[in-house]
Amino acid sequence: MNKPNNRLIPTLLVCLCTILTTACDDKGDRSSDASGNETQKPLSTPEPTTHTFGPEIQTRQALTQVALARQPADLIIQNATVLNVFTQEWLANQDIVIASGRIAWTGATNTWPGSAAQTYDASGLYAVPGFGESHKHIESSYLTPEYEAALVIPHGNTWTVEGSHEISNVVGNYNAEFWLAAERAGSPLKIFPAIGSATPPTVYESGGGYYGYPEMDAFMQYDPRVVALGEVMDWSAIINADNGGHSRLWQMIEATYDNRGVVEGHGSGLYSAEEISAFAAAGLASDHEVRLADEGLEKLRRGVFLELKHAGMDTVISKLLQLNLKDWSNISVTTDDRDVFATLQLGSMDYNIRTAIELGVAPEIAYQLGSYNTARHFRIDHLVGSLAPGRYADVVLLSNPETVAIERVYANGQLAALGKDYKLPIANIDYPAWAKNTMRVGKTLSAEDFIIHAPEGKTEVQAAILEPFWFEPDFITRTLPVNEAGLVVAAPADNLIKVAVVDRYHGTGAISKMLWQNVGPMTENSALASSQSHDLHNIWVMGNNDSAMAMAANAVAEMGGGWVLVKNGAIAAQVKLDIAGLMTARPVAEVAAEMEHLLQQADTMQWINNTGLPERMRFAFLTAAPWKWQLVAPYQGNPGGLVNVTTGETHPIVW
């Protein structure tokens, strides 16, 4: 026979008391009427509370009244043929009713019963949504956001998802504040920051910012405009728990998910089914580095949002057209990095959309690639990406949708561009010291700082050699002579140039240097330097003379950042980038003219392999996949700066 469980007795007593207490309390809420019948007392009604609505709700409340024709509109764009991105159809004879910078009503011409302060007859024109970048580094245009607006809005761009890990490595926790300052000051270009995961890019680098969980969490809660974690690039740190950056990156991913944000990826060099599956399983929702047809298809099949740059569009789009792809909603086009001079020559998103159409994509889908798809991906389609009520009144009017022939651009309901002319004033922003005073080299550099000493007693050495975009598992090794002074020097005649990275953050004057091949100036006493050095943005300099290298690097630091070309021992051209060493708050034409002058001066010089000015060197110091060996600024345990960024292995420059 089982013994009674005495431990249950106290529990049963508690339950019984609870029941009795509840019954008594319940009875206490009742009263009797004149006949003695019990009646339930009425529940108390909460006191009404006041609530002050924020700007977004106030705007939508106003739009509701305009849509119902209870309030007048600001503008009606009439008689346009409108692209509906939801149904992929062109609707003729349509009106777009605009109020408070948003669209309040759409429908057949002259059927809205209200009135408007202004009308514009768009007969014969086609209306499409303002273009939006799915992956853009505005820093690479060399312009601050208010001047970027003047550059790209005439090309139809009215909003941008900014992959902010360039300036994040300079200004740290001021990142989101920087990107939102222009719109807050009245700029019509809407910027949605994707916080830079590469802050720092690898555990082997250190700059002006460090982001983990608390920083990412704070950014996501700072403003609704912050929508994502920018491209997660350090693939080795993601998949290897013993990598020093492993925890930091996963913390940022977790913070993004906790705030219902989007995690962006960088899948360069990841081609196999295992790698692509791991990429998607990690939560990396997009890839803007797709170049190969089968790579694009396999990533698309595994749910990765493709952000196609011009370089990969022909192969990937041709493949998808060949397969007769039915649903293009998980694909976008974007520019990523395009400077002011190239944008003036080629265009911006209009160029990519035009290319898609030329490759055979139906225009109604091509415009979706440049607007609605990206808006949905980043969960901001209630704001941008379509010509529908509630969205910003970003309307691109075309004379020919097949060629993306832009006649007018409205941004936030204002006429922002007429033809190629920007029509709105530039927002006035007084950038603070944290954005302007960012060059902390710590000393004036001299020729001696760039010397490479050979080991004592050596008449020749083994040297580790790289070249731009060297993705092989091992660096190049060459046997080089040692001169009478015991130095290893540049030899342009043998395709060898000296390359250095100068630490601009810690005030130590630390420099790493080595020899590279197949790049650089042959003209005597020449050098090229820049603080545009993705992604950490230290100063890089290449040259065939140590004094010329010091001159170029010092000039970059003295003007707060930019480009400097030294030819025959004298400065021949420079581009001033005094905001974070990456951008400048100056007019488009002025900055483009400086860049053009730099290119023209470079064209008067001789370059190894006749390549001309190696502008792409600003990307040659990336430490993301698929890079292996790379030159970074010196750090503890690696004074030479040469490191395998996938393993942490270091190596001397000469031995």
Side-chain angles (χ1 to χ4, degrees):
M1 184 172 179
N2 293 330
K3 294 182 179 180
N5 188 344
N6 293 331
R7 287 177 296 177
L8 290 175
I9 294 173
T11 302
L12 292 170
L13 289 173
V14 170
C15 293
L16 180 60
C17 290
T18 301
I19 293 169
L20 291 172
T21 301
T22 302
C24 291
D25 289 345
D26 185 57
K27 190 173 179 80
D29 285 337
R30 299 175 184 274
S31 60
S32 299
D33 59 17
S35 303
N37 298 319
E38 283 189 350
T39 59
Q40 183 75 42
K41 289 182 179 180
L43 296 174
S44 60
T45 302
E47 290 293 326
T49 59
T50 59
H51 178 77
T52 302
F53 291 106
E56 179 67 19
I57 295 304
Q58 291 181 33
T59 297
R60 292 185 178 274
Q61 289 173 334
L63 290 173
T64 302
Q65 299 304 310
V66 175
L68 294 171
R70 294 176 178 175
Q71 295 292 333
D74 299 324
L75 170 68
I76 306 177
I77 298 174
Q78 295 182 314
N79 296 311
T81 298
V82 173
L83 174 63
N84 190 303
V85 294
F86 307 110
T87 59
Q88 296 179 2
E89 59 183 338
W90 296 94
L91 302 174
N93 302 317
Q94 297 288 296
D95 285 358
I96 302 171
V97 176
I98 296 168
S100 303
R102 305 280 188 101
I103 297 172
W105 184 96
T106 58
T109 294
N110 294 327
T111 61
W112 180 65
S115 62
Q118 289 183 302
T119 61
Y120 175 72
D121 187 355
S123 296
L125 298 179
Y126 298 78
V128 297
F131 309 150
E133 299 265 20
S134 56
H135 181 79
K136 174 72 180 281
H137 300 291
I138 291 175
E139 301 97 317
S140 292
S141 75
Y142 306 142
L143 302 172
T144 48
E146 70 275 25
Y147 287 97
E148 168 83 358
L151 174 67
V152 302
I153 283 179
H155 295 279
N157 291 53
T158 58
W159 56 280
T160 296
V161 176
E162 159 63 34
S164 65
H165 65 229
E166 316 307 338
I167 200 170
S168 67
N169 279 297
V170 182
V171 303
N173 291 343
Y174 292 110
N175 186 358
E177 181 178 339
F178 177 86
W179 291 116
L180 298 178
E183 188 179 355
R184 290 170 175 174
S187 176
L189 180 68
K190 291 166 286 297
I191 297 176
F192 299 92
I195 300 302
S197 67
T199 312
T202 64
V203 71
Y204 316 109
E205 300 164 273
S206 175
Y210 181 92
Y211 299 163
Y213 187 98
E215 292 80 11
M216 188 65 201
D217 183 61
F219 281 130
M220 292 297 296
Q221 296 187 40
Y222 174 71
D223 192 280
R225 284 284 199 269
V226 179
V227 294
L229 174 61
E231 54 177 318
V232 176
M233 298 173 30
D234 192 351
W235 183 240
S236 178
I238 287 291
I239 63 174
N240 295 313
D242 59 350
N243 184 294
H246 182 78
S247 176
R248 185 188 72 81
L249 282 175
W250 281 102
Q251 285 180 43
M252 294 192 77
I253 292 172
E254 183 174 44
T256 307
Y257 279 162
D258 285 352
N259 288 279
R260 300 187 179 184
V262 179
V263 178
E264 294 289 278
H266 173 115
S268 181
L270 305 181
Y271 304 132
S272 71
E274 292 78 15
E275 289 171 323
I276 296 172
S277 294
F279 182 89
L284 311 186
S286 71
D287 187 13
H288 60 277
E289 291 293 343
V290 172
R291 300 294 180 93
L292 305 178
D294 289 338
E295 173 198 5
L297 178 60
E298 292 308 315
K299 286 178 177 175
L300 184 63
R301 283 172 169 167
R302 288 168 178 82
V304 176
F305 183 72
L306 303 185
E307 299 167 344
L308 299 179
K309 299 188 289 189
H310 188 265
M313 287 176 63
D314 55 344
T315 54
V316 176
I317 286 179
S318 296
K319 179 78 172 183
L320 300 179
L321 288 170
Q322 179 185 348
L323 292 174
N324 194 27
L325 183 69
K326 299 294 192 300
D327 183 359
W328 291 75
S329 62
N330 218 34
I331 304 168
S332 69
V333 294
T334 197
T335 66
D336 193 358
D337 296 284
R338 192 173 292 169
D339 69 40
V340 56
F341 188 60
T343 300
L344 289 175
Q345 287 183 314
L346 300 175
S348 187
M349 282 283 286
D350 56 329
Y351 178 69
N352 290 47
I353 293 170
R354 187 179 304 113
T355 299
I357 294 171
E358 290 171 351
L359 288 168
V361 176
E364 55 270 19
I365 294 177
Y367 289 106
Q368 189 172 314
L369 301 182
S371 57
Y372 182 54
N373 291 359
T374 293
R376 286 190 67 185
H377 175 69
F378 288 102
R379 304 165 192 167
I380 51 176
D381 50 309
H382 61 298
L383 298 174
V384 292
S386 62
L387 299 179
R391 282 69 170 181
Y392 280 95
D394 294 350
V395 186
V396 181
L397 293 177
L398 311 164
S399 58
N400 186 343
E402 298 278 347
T403 60
V404 199
I406 298 174
E407 297 294 322
R408 287 176 168 239
V409 179
Y410 290 86
N412 303 343
Q414 298 177 288
L415 179 61
L418 190 58
K420 296 300 181 186
D421 296 329
Y422 185 67
K423 306 302 290 185
L424 295 176
I426 302 294
N428 183 25
I429 302 173
D430 183 15
Y431 284 101
W434 52 258
K436 293 189 291 189
N437 303 329
T438 64
M439 288 288 161
R440 303 181 186 93
V441 174
K443 69 175 187 177
T444 300
L445 303 172
S446 66
E448 286 71 25
D449 290 312
F450 295 92
I451 288 173
I452 297 177
H453 291 276
E456 189 173 352
K458 290 272 191 177
T459 58
E460 64 178 21
V461 294
Q462 298 298 301
I465 309 292
L466 291 175
E467 64 179 48
F469 310 102
W470 183 258
F471 304 133
E472 300 301 319
D474 296 311
F475 52 76
I476 305 157
T477 302
R478 289 177 61 172
T479 302
L480 300 179
V482 177
N483 69 11
E484 294 178 354
L487 308 178
V488 182
V489 299
D494 292 329
N495 288 350
L496 287 177
I497 205 76
K498 190 176 289 183
V499 169
V501 175
V502 181
D503 187 327
R504 60 169 277 198
Y505 293 105
H506 302 102
T508 61
I511 301 176
S512 58
K513 58 258 185 179
M514 65 182 299
L515 296 175
W516 284 28
Q517 68 181 22
N518 296 327
V519 68
M522 295 188 70
T523 300
E524 291 185 358
N525 299 325
S526 297
L528 177 67
S530 179
S531 57
Q532 274 260 344
S533 180
H534 293 237
D535 290 303
L536 195 67
H537 299 288
N538 280 314
I539 298 171
W540 62 263
V541 55
M542 61 163 54
N544 53 36
N545 177 276
D546 295 334
S547 294
M549 293 177 72
M551 179 183 294
N554 284 328
V556 167
E558 288 165 6
M559 66 181 178
W563 288 81
V564 172
L565 177 66
V566 172
K567 178 176 70 171
N568 297 131
I571 293 176
Q574 59 188 38
V575 180
K576 184 177 182 179
L577 304 176
D578 53 334
I579 303 297
L582 302 171
M583 296 164 279
T584 184
R586 293 184 289 142
V588 171
E590 183 179 331
V591 183
E594 285 186 1
M595 197 66 207
E596 185 175 15
H597 180 65
L598 176 72
L599 296 170
Q600 288 173 345
Q601 285 297 308
D603 285 344
T604 68
M605 298 169 57
Q606 288 183 298
W607 297 85
I608 291 174
N609 294 334
N610 297 313
T611 56
L613 184 133
E615 188 189 358
R616 291 197 73 225
M617 278 294 294
R618 61 182 172 144
F619 307 113
F621 297 92
L622 283 163
T623 50
W627 264 262
K628 304 295 188 300
W629 286 95
Q630 186 58 284
L631 183 68
V632 301
Y635 59 91
Q636 187 174 4
N638 188 15
L642 184 62
V643 59
N644 185 319
V645 294
T646 64
T647 66
E649 181 185 359
T650 65
H651 202 282
I653 302 304
V654 295
W655 64 98

